[in-house]
Amino acid sequence: MSAAASPAELAALRNAVPVGLADRADQEFTFSSADFDRVRQLIYQHAGISLHAGKQAMVYSRLSRRLRETSQRSFSQYLQSLEGLAPSHPEWQEFVNCLTTNLTSFFREEHHFQMLATELKARAGQSVRIWCNAASTGEEPYSLAMTCLENMPAGSVKILASDIDTKVLATAGRGVYNADARGLSPERLRAHFLRGKGANSGSIRVKPELARLIEFRTHNLMEARWQLGEPFDIVFCRNVMIYFDAPTQRKVLERIHGVMKPKSLLFVGHSENFTESKDLFRLRGKTVYERV
C-alpha cells in the first residue's frame, strides 16, 4: 500500500479543502490544510482509510479531544509527537479510534440474515466458521449468533468478530444495550437477552449461551500478516470497503479471499459492488458473493 498521497494529490486536496476553519476566532486549536493533509496521510498509512476533503470539520471535532487529553497546544504539535512514536504505541490506537465511523444496529439489512439462515440450514450437520470483520459495538456479531442459534446446534458454529477500534470492541464484549435497541423483536428479546433490574433497569444483556459463540479480537485489515486460524465458511464485511480507495479495496478483497473456503459466502454493504473482481468472487444474491 502506498505510504502517502502524491504531491499532486495533496495539492488537489489543499485546493478542495474549505478555507477558513483555521482562521475562526472561536477555534480552540489552529487546524490548517497542511495539518489535514498530515492526518489524511497517517490514517491512510495505518488503517487504509481514505479521507475526503469534506471531512476536515469531522477530523477537527474528533481529534481535538485527543489534543486536550494529551495536553498538546496545536494539531501540528500533536501530529509531530504522534509521528515520533513507535507504531505499537497506544496513542496510534487512540488516533485510529477517533477517526473510525461506527454506525450499526441489530439485524441491519435483514435480507442478509434471512439468506444466512437458509445457508445454515443447508449446512446441517456441518461445523461453520464465521468472520464478522467490522464488529463495531457488537450488534452485528450478536445478530449473527442469534441467527445461528435459531437455525443450527450451538456447538456447530464459531464466530470471530473483529474491529480496528478497541473502544467499540470493549462495548461489544460487554454485550449490554438499551432495552429499546433497534432491530430486536419481542421474541428475540425474550430468547436471547436478560433484562436489567433496579439500577440497570432499561438495559439488556446478551445471554451467556449467545456470548459463548463469539470471540472478539482487534484486527487491522492493513496488517501485513493475518493470523485468523482455519478458513471461514462465511464472512461479513459490510460497509467497510467504502472507506478504502480502489487499490486498497482490491488488496483487502484478495486477502479476504485467501482466508475463505472455496464456495464460501461474502456478505457486503448495500452500496458496495465487487463485480470487477470476478476472478475472486461471483455474485450469488443481493450484495452476497461466493468465493471462486
Side-chain angles (χ1 to χ4, degrees):
M1 179 173 69
S2 172
S6 69
E9 288 174 327
L10 292 180
L13 180 61
R14 278 191 290 272
N15 292 335
V17 170
V19 296
L21 186 61
D23 300 328
R24 284 174 46 182
D26 60 344
Q27 201 77 26
E28 183 179 359
F29 303 104
T30 300
F31 185 46
S32 67
S33 294
D35 294 330
F36 181 74
D37 290 349
R38 290 172 75 185
V39 171
R40 180 175 180 262
Q41 291 180 31
L42 292 173
I43 195 64
Y44 186 78
Q45 290 173 18
H46 286 265
I49 295 172
S50 182
L51 283 176
H52 301 294
K55 299 293 185 181
Q56 190 178 21
M58 179 273 285
V59 168
Y60 177 90
S61 175
R62 294 187 182 184
L63 279 183
S64 59
R65 297 194 298 268
R66 291 308 304 160
L67 269 67
R68 296 184 199 103
E69 291 170 6
T70 57
S71 301
Q72 301 286 356
R73 296 188 299 273
S74 68
F75 271 83
S76 178
Q77 183 184 67
Y78 171 74
L79 295 171
Q80 183 177 355
S81 172
L82 187 67
E83 290 176 301
L85 299 174
S88 59
H89 193 282
E91 187 56 35
W92 278 113
Q93 184 66 61
E94 295 289 349
F95 174 76
V96 171
N97 287 356
C98 284
L99 296 179
T100 51
T101 299
N102 298 285
L103 177 64
T104 187
S105 62
F106 289 102
F107 294 95
R108 189 181 182 192
E109 298 184 52
E110 190 172 1
H111 68 278
H112 278 166
F113 297 95
Q114 295 169 355
M115 186 167 182
L116 174 62
T118 300
E119 186 68 19
L120 293 173
K121 290 173 182 175
R123 294 172 179 263
Q126 303 175 32
S127 60
V128 176
R129 194 159 186 259
I130 301 174
W131 180 24
C132 170
N133 63 24
S136 188
T137 47
E139 287 89 339
E140 183 170 300
Y142 288 123
S143 297
L144 292 172
M146 284 183 264
T147 304
C148 290
L149 283 181
E150 291 165 2
N151 291 280
M152 66 189 311
S156 302
V157 62
K158 293 182 179 179
I159 300 171
L160 174 63
S162 66
D163 203 284
I164 193 173
D165 189 327
T166 54
K167 290 185 177 179
V168 296
L169 274 182
T171 298
R174 287 192 292 272
V176 176
Y177 302 94
N178 290 330
D180 59 354
R182 289 193 303 121
L184 290 172
S185 66
E187 293 77 17
R188 282 183 168 137
L189 275 171
R190 288 192 296 270
H192 301 295
F193 292 85
L194 301 170
R195 286 192 174 272
K197 298 179 180 179
N200 296 317
S201 179
S203 296
I204 53 174
R205 181 189 291 274
V206 297
K207 288 185 176 180
E209 54 266 33
L210 197 68
R212 280 195 292 267
L213 298 184
I214 306 173
E215 175 194 353
F216 289 102
R217 185 193 304 179
T218 307
H219 180 71
N220 183 345
L221 294 171
M222 297 299 108
E223 288 178 3
R225 296 180 61 191
W226 290 9
Q227 297 178 328
L228 302 175
E230 295 297 314
F232 296 97
D233 300 280
I234 294 165
V235 173
F236 270 60
C237 182
R238 306 195 303 172
N239 304 307
V240 175
M241 298 293 188
I242 56 175
Y243 298 104
F244 300 154
D245 60 16
T248 305
Q249 285 184 6
R250 175 67 191 194
K251 179 178 179 179
V252 173
L253 279 176
E254 289 174 351
R255 301 189 72 184
I256 290 176
H257 179 274
V259 299
M260 295 175 68
K261 294 179 182 177
K263 297 187 177 181
S264 53
L265 297 183
L266 172 66
F267 292 75
V268 304
H270 67 276
S271 61
E272 297 169 321
N273 187 317
F274 305 126
T275 53
E276 293 184 1
S277 295
K278 293 179 180 178
D279 57 319
L280 302 176
F281 298 97
R282 55 174 165 258
L283 192 62
R284 169 81 175 268
K286 184 181 178 182
T287 55
V288 179
Y289 292 83
E290 182 178 85
R291 182 195 186 275
V292 174

